[in-house]
Structures are given as C-alpha cells and as structure tokens.
C-alpha cells in the first residue's frame, strides 16, 4: 500500500498554518499513520519526504513489518519534537500569533511611510493569511495571479481585487507579499524585472522577511 499526504512535522517546523483550510482537513504525523495502518494489519516499512505543498510524506506499507531506518528515524524525530502530545501544538500557536503581530506591524509601518503594497498568489493559503492578519484594500492595493479565470474577481473575506501579474510592472508597487510562498523561487524568476526596478518581496512564512532588503525587526513574542 502506497500513500502520500501532507507532512505534519514539516508544517509545524515551518509554521505553515496558512495551508490549513477546508480542502486540507487532515495533516498526519508518521506516528498517527503508523497507528492507523496497524489497526488494519499493515506496517509502514519505508517513508520518503517530498517538497510538495510545503512538505509531504510518501509511505510504503505491507502486511509484514520490515521498517527501514528512515521510518525509525522519523518516528523518533516526532517523539522528540513533541508531536505525540500537546507541546508542539502550543508552540505552533504562539509562533502563528507572532507571525500575525510581526506582519501587521511591518505592513502598518510601510503604509505609514506612504508605500504601496500588492500581493502575489490568489490561492487558498493567501485567503487564509490575509483574513487572519486582517489585511484588506486599505492595506493591499491588489493581488496578482497567473490564472486568468481569477482576474477581475476578489479575494474572499478581504475583498482585494485580483489582476494579471503584468500589473506589477505597470504600477511598480514598493512591496509584494508572496502569498504563494511555496513557489517563491519560480515567482522571483518570473518577476526579475520587477525586482530589478527596485521592487521588494515580503515572504510571510515561516517568519516575515523582506527579500532584497534588511530584515525587519521581529517582535519580542517571536
């Protein structure tokens, strides 16, 4: 039996809270999957970490136990990280709150300086992030996305309009929040001209930072 699912350990490690939404109802640790499969007479004998969706696990199970070193190491890692009790989740909650504090303070400072701010990626994780930090049209001028079916629509909840990425060069906002941070390298390559003209990216996860500028000071809560 071969299965692939989001990796809870990597989500917590990288504070990827914005990937939790209605289509992604479950995030599994290998420990939980091991317990689940054992109830049905299957044993995880190998596991392969993948980069998909910020971190996924591909596991291989069979009717006879023959766990690889990768399986034993990952189960030990999850125990050490506190994934089997509430420890890791309380820490995650504090880190998520810190991201909101830092990002809201960063955006407020930039707006007070008269800067224009846009965002890249009208995806579900972007909807989660913008609604969580409470950033609407008063903060974000527009969102761009390469999907033409989203152009002319609005980000749910915050009502920020969605446009074609060409608008970045047309208007050259001072900062662009990369909502689709899992495609950061691709976006940087696509928007090389925007950056060359002096534009800057704000990467919100796992801690707000500005690409191409000095790091913004973190809050004490972080």
């Amino acid at each position: 039996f071969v299965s692939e699912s989001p990796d809870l350990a990597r989500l917590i490690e990288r504070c990827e809270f914005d990937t939790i939404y209605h289509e992604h109802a479950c995030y599994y640790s290998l420990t939980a999957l091991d317990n689940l499969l054992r109830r049905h007479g299957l044993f995880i004998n190998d596991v392969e970490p993948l980069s998909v969706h910020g971190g996924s696990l591909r596991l291989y199970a069979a009717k006879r136990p023959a766990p690889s070193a990768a399986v034993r190491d990952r189960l030990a890692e999850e125990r050490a990280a506190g994934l089997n009790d509430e420890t890791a989740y309380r820490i995650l909650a504090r880190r998520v709150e810190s991201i909101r504090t830092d990002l809201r303070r960063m955006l407020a400072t930039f707006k007070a300086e008269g800067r224009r701010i846009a965002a890249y990626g009208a995806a579900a994780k972007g909807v989660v992030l913008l609604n969580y930090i409470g950033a609407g049209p008063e903060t974000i001028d527009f969102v761009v996305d390469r999907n033409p079916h989203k152009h002319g629509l609005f980000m749910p909840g915050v009502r920020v309009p969605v446009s074609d990425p060409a608008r970045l060069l047309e208007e050259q906002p001072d900062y662009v929040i990369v909502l689709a941070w899992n495609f950061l390298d691709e976006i940087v390559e696509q928007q090389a001209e925007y950056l060359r003209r002096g534009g800057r990216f704000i990467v919100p996860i796992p801690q707000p930072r500005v690409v191409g500028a000095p790091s913004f000071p973190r809050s004490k809560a972080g």
Side-chain angles (χ1 to χ4, degrees), residues 166-174 191-200:
R167 190 173 177 182
L168 292 181
L169 293 182
E170 294 170 358
E171 301 191 20
Q172 194 65 29
D174 299 286
Q191 300 301 322
E193 179 62 19
Y194 166 77
L195 294 171
R196 190 189 68 78
R197 294 183 185 183
R200 296 172 179 175

Side-chain angles (χ1 to χ4, degrees), residues 181-198:
W181 45 261
N182 50 320
F183 296 111
L184 177 61
D185 292 342
E186 180 180 336
I187 293 170
V188 167
E189 182 178 352
Q190 291 172 6
Q191 300 301 322
E193 179 62 19
Y194 166 77
L195 294 171
R196 190 189 68 78
R197 294 183 185 183

